[in-house]
Amino acid sequence: MTLSINTQRVQTDVLVIGGGTAGTMAGIKAKQANPEIDVLILEKANIRRSGAIAMGMDGVNTAVIPGHSTPERYTREVTIANDGILNQKAVLQTGKLGYETIQELERWGVQFQKNAQGNYDVKQVHRVGKYVLPMPEGKDLKTILTRQVKRHKVRVTNRVMATRVLVQDGRAIGAVGFDVRSGDFVVIQAKAVILCTGACGRLGLPASGYLYGTYENPTNAGDGYAIAYHAGAELTNIECFQVNPLIKDYNGPACAYVAGPFGAYTANAEGYRFINCDYWSGQMMLEVWKELNSGKGPIQLKMTHLDEDTIAEIESILWSNERPSRDRFHKGRGEDYRTHGIEMNISEIGLCSGHSASGVWVNENAETTVPGLYAAGDMASVPHNYMIGAFVYGRLAGEHGVQYLQGLEHREPDPEVLEAEKTRVYAPLTRPNGIPHTQVEYKLRRFVNDYLQPPKVTNKMEIGLRSFERYHETLDQMGARDPHELMRCMEVHFIRDCAEMAARASLYRRESRWGLYHYRVDYPDKNNEEWFCHVNLKKDGSGNMMLFKRPVEPYVVDVDLQTEVYDVASRS
């Protein structure tokens, strides 16, 4: 079948791929840094309601507010929770710049919860400091950000999916993709490229079997992880999976971040609290897994002891900001927080630095290892970064990207590279009766569950890796009937790349670390002598995936990891 494909050519100074939390801030900050340059945000959906905060957010989870904590204490907190494997300079940026970000968001119209005295109503979930700042009107956040994008005259192209970053002479010079409505091939020349495509939320298969019923935003299919890899950038800690506590049969957050500060807690079937600290970490998830498999399960989020006003406030936050369908789910089950504990379980795996530590390697300036290529948000390597970290690193990427491009000229992409990518991308349209993308994705993600879901077993991961390697043959049989299905096919390519990265990185680190996130049955102990390092991967000169150790940068905040451990044990 011969296809007639139109090609659009675009030039810009700064190209931002992804219009979510980090992407909108990157575009705004680039334009603030130099109003004279052209900035373009490329979004495969519509920027008004795209990204992980599409319909709202219940809290800015890492806000360092003066008087409640300090950037240094926050950095210590994350260092301990992440088993010491991190670039502290990068984490410290979130602590230092987060408060300025909150103040700017307030000027734009974002509302943060305050007490009767007019001070920020900061809650404690973390081990020591208070960081959680609720947003009563969080559902308006994305529309407010979109309005600021327009006010700053940042260009936006909706419904165009990026498939590769263009690299020439060792630096990023633009990107290619296609219009998911018209099918046009799109070539964008840029002097700096910022990846802000979110987590790999569609990696493991939810228990429901529904492809898009994921914990994370289902449009986040690991696009940026795969694009950065194929551009030659390093990725790090891919073996440090994201595994979440969630409501049984409802793939949404149990929201200890919201309910915990109000007095809710996680209890086993005997009614005992078995986790001291609800701060999200692999250690906490390991305790959940152990309790579920100890004969003391199932476990539940317990709120029946709280007063009516408190429960009503929790309901307001969870049902209006976070996920409105949660209200309907409980009503369908006849559940009420006043009389019922909410049964919890463990999610499928994903890759995310916002909740974990897997991402494209960046330094404290949001720079990747490819000159001219930046990354921010849930796909960048700053661990436990959450939403405020996405804003901070979007800001850093925008500002440093503008500094980088001074004096640079546009480079003309290699025609052979463009033609090869066009052939690869549009291949499914030449097979309209090929295997449907839904079937290919379902089987791929079921393999992820079968062979990679922690606890990790070497023999199973090796079977999984062989399956992911062979899956290229299946991808070559996928069919698409229109540009929208073509987008889904390309997402399956991204998911396969991430699955291979996850398997190889997990096999490479021969120890257990980060609690349940990288709990290897055949290497059950932590081994700091050999593995106190980052496990990084990149594409080598032959096109193969190579893995190597990258040393942990010297700490800028002292932490004694021999004596300071993350306490999740019960004292009940």
Side-chain angles (χ1 to χ4, degrees):
M1 178 180 177
T2 302
L3 299 174
S4 178
I5 305 296
N6 293 323
T7 298
Q8 299 180 28
R9 299 293 294 255
V10 181
Q11 275 194 356
T12 187
D13 293 307
V14 177
L15 172 63
V16 181
I17 301 176
T21 313
T24 50
M25 187 61 81
I28 292 166
K29 288 300 177 180
K31 202 67 174 173
Q32 286 180 351
N34 185 350
E36 302 304 315
I37 66 171
D38 186 73
V39 180
L40 172 64
I41 295 178
L42 199 68
E43 170 57 55
K44 70 179 179 182
N46 187 296
I47 193 172
R48 182 174 172 81
R49 286 296 188 190
S50 62
I53 57 168
M55 291 300 292
M57 173 59 70
D58 53 56
V60 180
N61 303 123
T62 52
V64 178
I65 307 295
H68 294 278
S69 189
T70 65
E72 291 74 21
R73 180 181 291 175
Y74 167 70
T75 302
R76 288 170 58 83
E77 191 95 45
V78 176
T79 300
I80 295 167
N82 208 55
D83 270 346
I85 309 297
L86 78 171
N87 181 343
Q88 277 197 346
K89 291 180 181 177
V91 174
L92 192 60
Q93 290 279 54
T94 299
K96 287 181 175 179
L97 300 176
Y99 185 51
E100 292 179 27
T101 299
I102 288 169
Q103 292 177 308
E104 184 163 36
L105 290 170
E106 275 198 316
R107 291 194 294 271
W108 292 347
V110 179
Q111 295 184 35
F112 297 98
Q113 187 161 306
K114 296 186 177 179
N115 58 26
Q117 291 73 42
N119 300 317
Y120 291 114
D121 190 10
V122 186
K123 309 292 185 182
Q124 181 165 355
V125 173
H126 296 66
R127 192 175 59 98
V128 179
K130 291 186 176 182
Y131 305 101
V132 178
L133 183 55
M135 301 168 62
E137 301 298 327
K139 62 183 180 295
D140 297 327
L141 178 57
K142 194 64 204 299
T143 55
I144 291 171
L145 291 171
T146 303
R147 188 160 58 243
Q148 289 300 318
V149 165
K150 292 179 180 178
R151 286 178 177 174
H152 284 83
K153 295 183 171 56
V154 177
R155 284 199 293 153
V156 176
T157 296
N158 291 314
R159 308 295 179 186
V160 171
M161 178 190 205
T163 59
R164 288 287 189 265
V165 163
L166 295 169
V167 177
Q168 202 173 90
D169 296 330
R171 73 174 178 91
I173 63 164
V176 292
F178 65 96
D179 189 304
V180 302
R181 293 279 175 83
S182 71
D184 289 355
F185 190 57
V186 182
V187 180
I188 304 171
Q189 292 173 271
K191 299 173 183 177
V193 180
I194 303 173
L195 289 171
C196 303
T197 60
C200 183
R202 244 165 62 216
L203 186 57
L205 186 70
S208 67
Y210 177 46
L211 297 178
Y212 310 112
T214 54
Y215 181 92
E216 293 283 1
N217 183 343
T219 68
N220 294 347
D223 308 33
Y225 288 75
I227 290 172
Y229 169 75
H230 288 290
E234 291 182 27
L235 292 93
T236 191
N237 300 337
I238 303 300
E239 73 279 15
C240 182
F241 295 167
Q242 176 184 351
V243 187
N244 309 308
L246 49 76
I247 301 168
K248 179 77 163 57
D249 296 328
Y250 177 88
N251 209 340
C255 285
Y257 261 105
V258 174
F262 289 96
Y265 60 88
T266 307
N268 60 24
E270 299 172 355
Y272 292 111
R273 179 173 188 166
F274 65 94
I275 294 176
N276 249 355
C277 174
D278 286 316
Y279 179 49
W280 213 318
S281 69
Q283 287 81 2
M284 185 266 278
M285 286 309 305
L286 183 59
E287 291 298 314
V288 170
W289 180 82
K290 286 179 176 178
E291 202 74 9
L292 283 170
N293 290 278
S294 69
K296 297 180 181 179
I299 63 173
Q300 60 178 283
L301 182 65
K302 187 169 171 53
M303 292 180 274
T304 55
H305 58 291
L306 302 177
D307 62 78
E308 172 59 31
D309 289 344
T310 302
I311 291 176
E313 187 170 359
I314 292 172
E315 288 175 339
S316 175
I317 296 171
L318 295 181
W319 296 354
S320 65
N321 278 2
E322 184 64 52
R323 302 204 183 183
S325 61
R326 183 167 172 168
D327 177 21
R328 298 191 295 275
F329 173 82
H330 289 316
K331 285 179 179 177
R333 295 252 169 146
E335 295 175 346
D336 190 309
Y337 295 164
R338 296 153 187 80
T339 56
H340 292 73
I342 307 304
E343 187 178 352
M344 294 167 58
N345 211 326
I346 292 175
S347 75
E348 73 284 354
I349 68 169
L351 303 178
C352 178
S353 64
H355 298 90
S356 181
S358 301
V360 176
W361 178 270
V362 296
N363 63 13
E364 63 272 19
N365 297 325
E367 298 166 322
T368 72
T369 54
V370 174
L373 182 62
Y374 299 79
D378 282 350
M379 61 161 289
S381 64
V382 187
H384 298 243
N385 225 15
Y386 299 100
M387 190 178 75
I388 199 65
F391 280 131
V392 167
Y393 271 83
R395 165 185 173 171
L396 291 169
E399 293 173 346
H400 286 278
V402 170
Q403 293 176 19
Y404 167 82
L405 62 81
Q406 301 303 316
L408 292 179
E409 299 294 333
H410 286 294
R411 300 292 296 272
E412 184 64 30
D414 184 337
E416 291 186 7
V417 171
L418 297 181
E419 192 59 34
E421 180 62 4
K422 182 187 287 188
T423 300
R424 184 188 77 88
V425 168
Y426 289 97
L429 287 177
T430 67
R431 300 183 293 266
N433 297 316
I435 304 174
H437 63 89
T438 49
Q439 294 181 21
V440 178
E441 181 176 341
Y442 183 91
K443 189 171 184 180
L444 171 61
R445 292 170 62 190
R446 199 202 73 204
F447 282 171
V448 170
N449 283 18
D450 289 346
Y451 300 114
L452 298 188
Q453 187 80 18
K456 301 177 183 181
V457 178
T458 298
N459 290 336
K460 290 172 66 175
M461 290 191 293
E462 288 175 344
I463 294 171
L465 177 58
R466 290 195 294 271
S467 300
F468 305 143
E469 289 174 326
R470 289 196 307 268
Y471 223 74
H472 285 292
E473 301 170 12
T474 307
L475 297 181
D476 289 341
Q477 299 177 60
M478 263 195 308
R481 296 166 296 182
D482 55 49
H484 179 81
E485 289 191 355
L486 186 62
M487 174 183 71
R488 296 303 187 202
C489 289
M490 289 302 103
E491 288 177 337
V492 179
H493 279 265
F494 295 148
I495 295 167
R496 193 226 66 86
D497 288 345
C498 290
E500 182 181 348
M501 293 181 208
R504 289 190 184 278
S506 295
L507 286 165
Y508 188 84
R509 184 182 283 276
R510 292 186 297 276
E511 65 155 2
S512 289
R513 193 175 289 269
W514 303 296
L516 188 64
Y517 295 168
H518 184 64
Y519 178 32
R520 291 195 63 169
V521 173
D522 36 1
Y523 296 98
D525 299 320
K526 189 184 299 182
N527 179 356
N528 281 330
E529 298 240 342
E530 295 181 75
W531 294 103
F532 191 79
C533 61
H534 299 277
V535 167
N536 281 21
L537 62 84
K538 68 177 181 179
K539 195 174 186 177
D540 67 16
S542 302
N544 298 315
M545 193 177 294
M546 62 176 290
L547 290 98
F548 54 96
K549 296 180 180 181
R550 179 188 267 263
V552 173
E553 293 285 329
Y555 286 171
V556 293
V557 176
D558 288 337
V559 179
D560 184 357
L561 292 168
Q562 299 301 316
T563 59
E564 297 187 70
V565 295
Y566 197 80
D567 179 19
V568 292
S570 171
R571 293 182 186 144
S572 58

